[in-house]
Structures are given as C-alpha cells and as structure tokens.
Amino acid sequence: MKSDRLLSILLLLQTRGQVPARELADRLEVSVRTIYRDIEALSASGVPVYAERGRHGGIALLPGFRTDVTGLTQDESRALFILAAQGAHAALGLDAALGSALRKVMAALPERHRPAAELTSRRILVDSARWMVGARVAGPAAVDLDVLQDAVFADRRLRLRYLHSGDAEPSTYTVDPYGLVSKAGVWYLVADRRGVPRLFRADRVRSATRTDAPVKRRPGVELADIWGVLKRQVEDRPVGVEVTARVSRDRFALFVRINGHRLAARPEDDGESEWIAVRLGYGVVGEVRTLLPFADAVEVFAPPEAREELARAAAAVTELYGTRPGAGIGSARR
C-alpha cells in the first residue's frame, strides 16, 4: 500500500536522519526507482525531503522538520490499521516489531481518530497467501461489502441468506460477526452461529440485514484467533484425489492462473524441459474434467481413474463433433 510506504519512509528519515536509497528500497522491498518516485510524491505534498548524490549521499529531511501524523483523516488512520495475517510477519520474525510499530503510530494519531483505528485493527484482516487446495476464484458479490462492514463495526447481529456450493436455494442464518477477512483477494465474513465459528464467502451472501440485536461474541476471542482456526480447518481438509500431471511450458502461466488453487505441491521445473510436472488436488475424480480446455497442453499420469475420466470426456466430445454433422439451430429448437 503506497500510503503505508510513504509513512514508513517518513518515519525512517525522522529517526535515522540520512538514509541511502538502496537501504530504503531493501527495507520496504521495492526498487530504488520506486523509492525516488515516493520521495517526489512526499516533496509534492509539502514534506521538505531531498536526495544527496554521491558515495556518501542519501535521502534526508531538512533539519528541524518533524511530523506527528496529525494530518491523517479518519479513513486514512483506519487504513493503516488493517492488519496483515500474523503468519506474514511471523515468518520474518517481525510479529513483535509490527505490534511496536502500530503502538507508535497509534500514539501519534489525533485523539479523535484512535478509537476507529483500534477497532479496524480488530475487525478487518488481510491474508494475501493463496489457499493451499480447494478454494475457487470469487464471483461477483451479490451483497455490497458495506452492508457486512456496517454490521461488523456496529457490533450488531446479521441475518444472512447464504447459498452453499451445490445448493439450489440459499439458507437463512442469524450470526454474530467478528470481522471481515480478505484471503488472496476473496472476502469472507467470520462469524459465530450458535456459538460455533463459521466462514461465509461474501460472493455467496445473497442478502444481509443488520438486526437491532447486539452481537454475542465469546469472551476473549478475537478475529485473528478465529481466522487461524478456520483457515487450518480448510487447509488441513484431506484431498479426495491427488493427480500427477505435466503441463506444457508455453501454457503454464495460464494454467497456474486458472488452476493454481489446485496445486498440492510446488511445481517441479528443471528450467529446460518443455514440460513442467505438477501435483493437483481434487475432491472427486470427475473434477479433472476442468483440465479439458488445455487439450494436449496437459497430460495426466495418475491415478488411472483420472486418465480414464478424461479419456471418456474426450471421446464424448469427439463423438459429438466428429461422427455426425451439426443439426443446426433450427433442429435444436424442434
């Protein structure tokens, strides 16, 4: 998030004085060119920042300049406190550092913005990692996220009409929301139903109504706690069928975009062969038919029943198009 990066640059320069552009780029995991663009943006917004060229140069603020971040609006303050999933920071050993940084920023916020920022950190969570297996790309949301967000921040119960995968009609639930989670770009409502944690995909919510009843959350339980439990339940779910296959290198990028959620392990790529080996997870054998659009760019090796399923599907297509002439639209209507 650019606003987060600009604030990080500003705070680093305040605490460190002159900092080389390369060091800023490494700390913030962006290119040096991006750092210089950010410096131009800060300068354009009135921050007295300058770059000094040469071996011992760097980027610095004019002496005497300080900021207490009081120029942030309420929405900007809330945006800074949308937490990333804990695992993203734990993997780098930065969980404690993240908490410390947020406390410092919270102390610098205008007093009137602190309650909203603190509440946002407990109600919205972003997890950028893809699901290991089984999650599908989100369709268009039937309900505006603002409706769900409104109930989450108002601490009120929600009445949902929710369409489960494979069901023809939606089911109705009254739930106690803990917050919203964005998982790899797909939004979920995390809530208790009768005291049991549940995960509701936003694009499957057909209608949502905020009730007047106050939310009933379990004491001491936070959004991040429930999300950790629910995520493990999804990712630890046993795969019904594991398929071994190979994918043509020239179609591999498209294959991953469409089937990346099915990958059960890291693809095996020697960097030279025209084929890349993959392992895929499916609930049932029949789901391997989703590989048919790739035709001969994907070859399945195992299990045998997966090969047989694809062979039957291909034979049916061949019979439909290859052994008899098309009947025409008029015939189809009759």
Side-chain angles (χ1 to χ4, degrees):
M1 184 184 298
K2 185 175 180 179
S3 60
D4 191 18
R5 193 171 64 244
L6 293 178
L7 180 59
S8 297
I9 292 173
L10 189 55
L11 295 177
L12 278 169
L13 295 180
Q14 277 193 177
T15 57
R16 292 278 310 281
Q18 185 171 280
V19 182
R22 168 51 62 188
E23 182 177 338
L24 287 174
D26 291 343
R27 279 175 171 267
L28 300 176
E29 299 182 347
V30 295
S31 68
V32 172
R33 181 176 297 179
T34 296
I35 291 296
Y36 280 118
R37 283 201 297 264
D38 289 345
I39 296 306
E40 291 177 2
L42 285 171
S43 179
S45 64
V47 176
V49 61
Y50 67 95
E52 200 170 276
R53 305 285 180 177
R55 182 177 178 182
H56 300 292
I59 296 168
L61 296 167
L62 287 179
F65 176 80
R66 302 291 297 174
T67 180
D68 59 2
V69 205
T70 54
L72 289 175
T73 66
Q74 178 167 308
D75 283 346
E76 288 170 339
S77 303
R78 289 176 58 193
L80 288 175
F81 282 81
I82 294 178
L83 290 179
Q86 291 181 349
H89 300 91
L92 299 174
L94 296 177
D95 269 353
L98 175 66
S100 175
L102 289 177
R103 285 192 294 272
K104 291 176 182 177
V105 175
M106 179 69 78
L109 286 177
E111 181 69 32
R112 65 187 182 279
H113 293 341
R114 291 178 191 174
E118 194 275 336
L119 184 60
T120 297
S121 72
R122 298 173 58 200
R123 296 288 180 262
I124 306 292
L125 191 146
V126 176
D127 188 338
S128 59
R130 295 179 67 100
W131 290 109
M132 291 295 291
V133 173
R136 301 182 182 277
V137 176
V143 171
D144 194 323
L145 275 175
D146 286 345
V147 177
L148 302 179
Q149 184 178 207
D150 179 50
V152 163
F153 283 101
D155 289 334
R156 291 294 182 268
R157 284 185 149 189
L158 265 173
R159 186 171 295 110
L160 305 178
R161 292 180 65 251
Y162 186 78
L163 185 64
H164 292 277
S165 178
D167 288 357
E169 295 294 331
S171 301
T172 301
Y173 302 112
T174 298
V175 301
D176 296 294
Y178 283 84
L180 294 169
V181 175
S182 174
K183 174 68 168 172
V186 180
W187 282 98
Y188 295 86
L189 172 71
V190 176
D192 276 353
R193 179 174 180 258
R194 297 177 179 173
V196 178
R198 296 283 298 273
L199 203 56
F200 299 92
R201 278 180 56 139
D203 60 312
R204 291 181 183 163
V205 176
R206 291 298 172 259
S207 67
T209 304
R210 191 184 91 178
T211 72
D212 293 330
V215 69
K216 295 181 180 179
R217 301 190 181 103
R218 285 168 285 148
V221 179
E222 296 289 342
L223 171 63
D225 303 323
I226 300 182
W227 172 244
V229 172
L230 292 173
K231 184 170 69 169
R232 285 193 296 274
Q233 289 177 358
V234 172
E235 295 188 333
D236 293 345
R237 188 180 300 160
V239 174
V241 180
E242 186 169 295
V243 170
T244 302
R246 65 177 186 174
V247 183
S248 174
R249 181 176 297 278
D250 60 358
R251 301 288 300 280
F252 186 72
L254 177 61
F255 177 85
V256 170
R257 282 201 297 273
I258 296 175
N259 296 283
H261 63 284
R262 296 289 188 187
L263 291 173
R266 185 182 296 276
E268 298 175 19
D269 182 10
D270 59 11
E272 299 177 358
S273 171
E274 63 177 294
W275 296 94
I276 298 174
V278 297
R279 285 193 294 145
L280 308 166
Y282 294 94
V284 294
V285 171
E287 292 178 354
V288 298
R289 290 188 174 222
T290 58
L291 297 176
L292 285 173
F294 287 89
D296 59 352
V298 174
E299 181 181 5
V300 169
F301 296 119
E305 53 266 33
R307 288 179 60 89
E308 293 166 3
E309 183 71 21
L310 287 173
R312 282 195 296 272
V317 172
T318 299
E319 181 180 0
L320 180 62
Y321 290 99
T323 60
R324 58 191 177 92
I329 295 177
S331 298
R333 287 175 178 166
R334 291 194 295 271

